[in-house]
Amino acid sequence: EVHLVESGGGLVQAGGSLRLSCAASGFFLDEHAIGWFRQAPGEERAAVACITANGGITYYADSVKGRFTISRDNAKNTVYLQMISLKAEDTAVYYCAAPITHISGGKYYGMDYWGKGTLVTVSS
């Protein structure tokens, strides 16, 4: 059975930083592209970042470019999302999902598996 478990969320002041983790079991992350998504209250879930299986290519939503960094540690079967210079508008539940099979028009496709999410709250 596949499980993706996010952690690292919390309350942070604007301008602060957090690092989210996505740990997998029953599924080898190193064989797949992995994505981070977020859903703010009253909004649809949106793609945030994606990293290819070997970590060689990353993709970011325009709203987080230069502030968020996605990375992976295949030995730990974990993907990370380092977030700096956080803004109030980054407040959302953050999810990881896999596999990402392709990206088109800024949207990610595939995602057979989802974690339950971790809440990030940025106070202004």
Side-chain angles (χ1 to χ4, degrees), residues 7-103:
S7 62
L11 174 63
V12 63
Q13 290 187 332
S17 302
L18 284 173
R19 188 177 80 156
L20 306 183
S21 299
C22 171
S25 60
F27 186 81
F28 292 106
L29 293 182
D30 61 356
E31 297 176 356
H32 305 282
I34 311 299
W36 282 97
F37 299 76
R38 67 185 182 185
Q39 186 167 20
E43 297 185 11
E44 293 186 354
R45 191 174 300 186
V48 174
C50 176
I51 187 166
T52 52
N54 64 4
I57 300 176
T58 55
Y59 302 88
Y60 296 96
D62 288 342
S63 59
V64 306
K65 281 180 181 176
R67 300 187 300 120
F68 290 12
T69 303
I70 188 171
S71 62
R72 62 193 305 154
D73 185 337
N74 288 338
K76 294 183 179 179
N77 216 27
T78 300
V79 173
Y80 304 97
L81 186 68
Q82 178 68 50
M83 307 184 295
I84 66 170
S85 301
L86 283 162
K87 306 175 182 179
E89 51 264 42
D90 294 318
T91 295
V93 178
Y94 285 71
Y95 302 87
C96 62
I100 306 301
T101 56
H102 64 283
I103 298 173

